[in-house]
């Protein structure tokens, strides 16, 4: 096997791999051994037809696809290693030559680690953040805790209102004909959540348990399914149940139930301190993020299109998995939100690019600043995690294999690089016009 490496633009490389004709012939023989049970010829038992006869009857190309797969599986990993490239993506394979008695030649286009040229990343000016805790902040925290301790109750004595959850069966039709993705049973819909097409949820306000109602909506003109775009649909809905949240009273008894304090006033004071700590931590993170945004903007990072595409696909798969874990159906979500997969992926692209640029810039800063993750720092971080999870450190360590720990250390290195950028940043007062704009927003 021989490998030629060609560096393309935008951090992409192409490997041209030549597999000797002898090895390709062995791959054909292996393909025959694997596939011979599929051929049946009069006069021969199944699986006993000679290779030469199979090739004569079906053409010499009959084993090419399987033989090519064997050659690719055997040779691409070795070619990638021999190239000494830092390959970050799955290869895009193209068969250049495949012919009996000749070398097997293929190319593999891959995304590689981009070259990073840092700009200014120290002493970056960022807006100063004032840490102020208001009574409204405390009340919001108190209401959040109240909501957390609420319970869901079934409503029997009134019709559905905004913020209620209605459990419905529905079937959507256009001109009396049902369409894909327009039917569901026992769907939990929070009225006012904006989960469905505009106008759908509003029409369920005032509907009672057991009542049936036809909800009439019009699909947007730019709806991804062209056969539905701009058309009026009727969703026949049956309200099977109405639910609401019942909140506990905010009094001393509530404080005693949810905290170690005896009175509501004492509990509110503790919430104020907790909010101050959180806002201080948020301010630190905001400083780091603002400084990192400028450091990334100041850097030059040319990303491979292949790498961006792979990052987007990974993000999409993660989103789809999260939806499935929450009991949501992807196809149904796409239908009701008026999107198609390409739309979702296109919307993810800016975040994918930012994530990749951030990763490579942080790696470069860590390299330039000689940032090291010592075992002492790792132990400190593991102790923090164990405390947060209410576990012993040794028990936490048992959950992590070697590969995870290596990734854990790499993540820590990136965090330390980001903290370096944030710690060196200079906080400045916002200009009068900027402050006015923020206030207006």
């Amino acid at each position: 096997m021989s490998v030629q490496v060609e560096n393309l633009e935008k951090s992409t490389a192409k490997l041209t791999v030549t597999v000797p004709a002898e090895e390709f012939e062995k791959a054909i023989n292996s393909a025959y051994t694997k596939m011979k049970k599929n051929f049946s010829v009069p006069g021969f038992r199944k699986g006993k037809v000679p290779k030469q006869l199979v090739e004569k009857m079906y053409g010499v190309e009959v084993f090419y696809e399987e033989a090519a797969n064997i050659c690719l599986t055997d040779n691409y990993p070795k070619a990638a290693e021999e190239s000494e490239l830092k390959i970050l993506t799955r290869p895009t394979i193209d068969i250049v030559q495949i012919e009996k008695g000749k070398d097997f030649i293929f190319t593999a286009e891959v995304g590689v680690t981009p070259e990073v040229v840092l700009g200014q990343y120290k002493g970056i000016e960022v807006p100063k953040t004032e840490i102020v805790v208001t009574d409204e902040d405390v009340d919001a925290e108190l209401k959040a805790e109240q909501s957390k301790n609420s319970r869901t109750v079934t409503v029997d004595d009134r019709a559905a209102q905004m913020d209620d959850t209605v459990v419905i069966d529905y079937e959507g039709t256009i001109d009396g004909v049902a369409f894909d993705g327009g039917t569901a049973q026992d769907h939990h819909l929070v009225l006012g959540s904006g989960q469905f097409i505009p106008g759908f949820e509003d029409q369920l306000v005032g509907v009672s348990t057991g009542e049936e109602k036809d909800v009439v909506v019009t699909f947007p003109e730019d709806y991804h399914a062209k056969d539905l775009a701009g058309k009026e649909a009727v969703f026949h809905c049956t309200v099977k149940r109405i639910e609401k949240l019942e909140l506990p009273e905010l009094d001393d008894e509530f404080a005693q139930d949810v905290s170690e304090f005896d009175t509501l006033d004492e509990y509110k004071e503790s919430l104020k301190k907790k909010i101050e700590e959180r806002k201080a931590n948020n301010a630190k993170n905001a400083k780091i993020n603002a400084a990192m945004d400028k450091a990334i903007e100041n850097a030059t990072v040319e990303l491979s299109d292949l790498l961006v595409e792979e990052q987007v696909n990974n993000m999409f798969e993660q989103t789809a998995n999260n939806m499935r874990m929450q009991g949501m159906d992807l196809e149904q979500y796409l239908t009701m939100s008026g999107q198609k997969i390409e739309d979702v992926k296109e919307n993810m692209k800016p975040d994918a690019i930012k994530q990749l640029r951030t990763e490579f810039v942080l790696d470069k800063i860590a390299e330039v600043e000689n940032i090291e993750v010592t075992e002492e720092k790792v132990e400190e971080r593991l102790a923090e995690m164990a405390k947060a999870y209410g576990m012993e450190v040794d028990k936490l360590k048992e959950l992590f294999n070697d590969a995870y720990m290596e990734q854990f250390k790499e993540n820590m290195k990136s965090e330390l690089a980001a903290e370096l950028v944030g710690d060196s940043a200079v906080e400045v007062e916002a200009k009068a016009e900027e402050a006015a704009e923020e206030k207006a927003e």
Side-chain angles (χ1 to χ4, degrees):
M1 179 199 73
S2 64
V3 184
Q4 290 182 326
V5 179
E6 179 184 358
N7 291 316
L8 308 177
E9 60 182 12
K10 298 181 70 172
S11 303
T12 305
K14 182 166 74 173
L15 310 182
T16 300
V17 184
T18 301
V19 179
E22 298 80 9
E23 186 174 339
F24 182 56
E25 185 62 33
K26 290 180 181 178
I28 289 178
N29 291 332
S30 297
Y32 162 72
T33 301
K34 181 178 180 180
M35 299 171 61
K36 63 182 181 180
K37 62 180 179 296
N38 300 327
F39 299 103
S40 180
V41 176
F44 295 92
R45 285 183 297 164
K46 195 170 184 178
K48 298 297 183 179
V49 184
K51 179 166 73 75
Q52 292 79 1
L53 182 56
V54 173
E55 290 177 331
K56 184 176 180 180
M57 294 183 66
Y58 295 94
V60 293
E61 301 87 357
V62 67
F63 299 118
Y64 279 6
E65 182 176 353
E66 183 63 32
N69 288 334
I70 293 171
C71 285
L72 292 170
T73 301
D74 291 345
N75 289 278
Y76 172 72
K78 292 185 287 187
E81 183 177 357
E82 187 176 319
S83 72
E84 298 185 348
L85 295 172
K86 294 182 179 178
I87 296 173
L88 301 178
T89 67
R90 290 181 286 270
T92 299
I93 301 293
D94 184 33
I95 306 299
V96 177
Q97 178 173 285
I98 181 167
E99 188 175 344
K100 192 175 180 64
K102 293 186 178 181
D103 295 341
F104 173 70
I105 304 174
F106 68 93
T107 61
E109 197 167 312
V110 293
V112 298
T113 301
E115 180 181 356
V116 178
V117 179
L118 294 174
Q120 180 188 4
Y121 63 90
K122 288 183 178 179
I124 291 174
E125 291 188 350
V126 297
K128 186 175 182 179
T129 303
E130 298 292 340
I131 301 174
V132 180
V133 179
T134 65
D135 290 340
E136 288 78 10
D137 292 330
V138 177
D139 288 341
E141 190 80 14
L142 191 61
K143 288 179 180 178
E145 191 65 32
Q146 182 188 33
S147 178
K148 191 187 302 181
N149 287 272
S150 65
R151 64 192 184 99
T152 300
V153 296
T154 300
V155 177
D156 294 319
D157 58 349
R158 63 166 174 79
Q161 300 175 355
M162 278 295 177
D163 298 324
D164 284 346
T165 296
V166 291
V167 182
I168 58 174
D169 293 345
Y170 63 82
E171 180 181 17
T173 59
I174 294 178
D175 296 331
V177 180
F179 56 89
D180 291 341
T183 302
Q185 286 78 42
D186 294 323
H187 184 84
H188 288 64
L189 175 63
V190 179
L191 300 184
S193 64
Q195 182 182 349
F196 279 5
I197 296 170
F200 189 104
E201 296 163 23
D202 294 339
Q203 296 179 56
L204 290 178
V205 173
V207 179
S208 301
T209 300
E211 188 175 343
E212 298 183 15
K213 178 162 184 173
D214 286 340
V215 173
V216 182
V217 293
T218 301
F219 283 97
E221 292 291 342
D222 59 351
Y223 197 68
H224 72 88
K226 295 190 182 300
D227 57 331
L228 302 180
K231 292 187 177 181
E232 184 179 86
V234 178
F235 287 87
H236 184 72
C237 301
T238 301
V239 179
K240 303 174 77 171
R241 191 165 66 254
I242 301 172
E243 299 174 345
K244 71 172 183 177
L245 292 180
E246 189 174 81
L247 302 175
E249 291 292 329
L250 294 176
D251 51 22
D252 291 346
E253 185 177 346
F254 173 77
Q256 293 165 16
D257 288 340
V258 300
S259 72
E260 70 272 26
F261 301 100
D262 294 326
T263 68
L264 185 62
D265 287 340
E266 290 175 323
Y267 178 51
K268 290 173 71 173
E269 188 61 33
S270 74
L271 290 179
K272 183 176 181 179
K273 292 179 180 178
K274 184 173 76 171
I275 296 170
E276 286 175 344
E277 293 175 359
R278 185 170 67 237
K279 285 198 171 189
N281 187 58
N282 289 343
K284 177 183 177 182
N285 290 334
K287 181 182 177 184
I288 291 174
N289 291 336
M292 278 302 307
D293 284 344
K294 289 189 177 181
I296 293 166
E297 184 180 334
N298 294 338
T300 301
V301 186
E302 193 172 42
L303 296 172
S304 162
D305 292 339
L306 293 174
L307 182 57
V308 173
E309 181 182 358
E310 191 160 300
Q311 181 77 356
V312 168
N313 288 336
N314 290 339
M315 291 171 62
F316 179 80
E317 287 302 319
Q318 184 61 52
T319 299
N321 287 336
N322 290 341
M323 292 178 66
R324 282 191 285 269
M325 290 175 65
Q326 295 170 16
M328 297 178 65
D329 180 80
L330 177 61
E331 288 300 321
Q332 189 177 65
Y333 165 76
L334 293 172
T335 298
M336 299 308 296
S337 65
Q339 298 184 85
K340 51 187 176 182
I341 291 177
E342 291 77 10
D343 297 329
V344 177
K345 288 186 175 183
E346 188 63 29
N347 291 335
M348 288 178 170
K349 193 172 181 179
D351 285 341
I353 291 173
K354 183 175 182 180
Q355 286 179 20
L356 290 169
R357 285 177 59 84
T358 301
E359 177 185 340
F360 292 121
V361 168
L362 286 172
D363 286 346
K364 190 65 175 181
I365 291 172
E367 176 190 331
V368 171
E369 296 290 338
N370 294 314
I371 293 175
E372 295 184 1
V373 178
T374 63
E375 289 302 320
E376 182 180 357
K377 289 179 180 177
V378 172
E379 290 297 325
E380 288 176 1
R381 186 63 57 87
L382 289 174
E384 292 172 2
M385 290 177 61
K387 182 179 180 181
Y389 294 145
M391 300 175 61
E392 296 180 4
V393 176
D394 290 341
K395 294 292 184 182
L396 182 64
K397 287 181 180 179
E398 291 176 3
L399 302 177
F400 301 158
N401 57 29
D402 292 341
Y404 181 90
M405 284 306 301
E406 285 303 312
Q407 186 59 51
F408 182 78
K409 291 176 182 178
E410 287 300 313
N411 292 343
M412 279 192 64
K413 186 182 290 187
S414 295
E415 290 173 10
L416 292 172
E419 287 176 7
L420 181 149
V421 174
D423 290 343
S424 71
V426 179
E427 290 186 305
V428 295
E429 296 287 348
K431 296 178 182 178
E433 57 270 21
E434 292 177 353
E437 289 176 3
E438 290 180 2
K439 186 174 182 180
E441 291 176 357

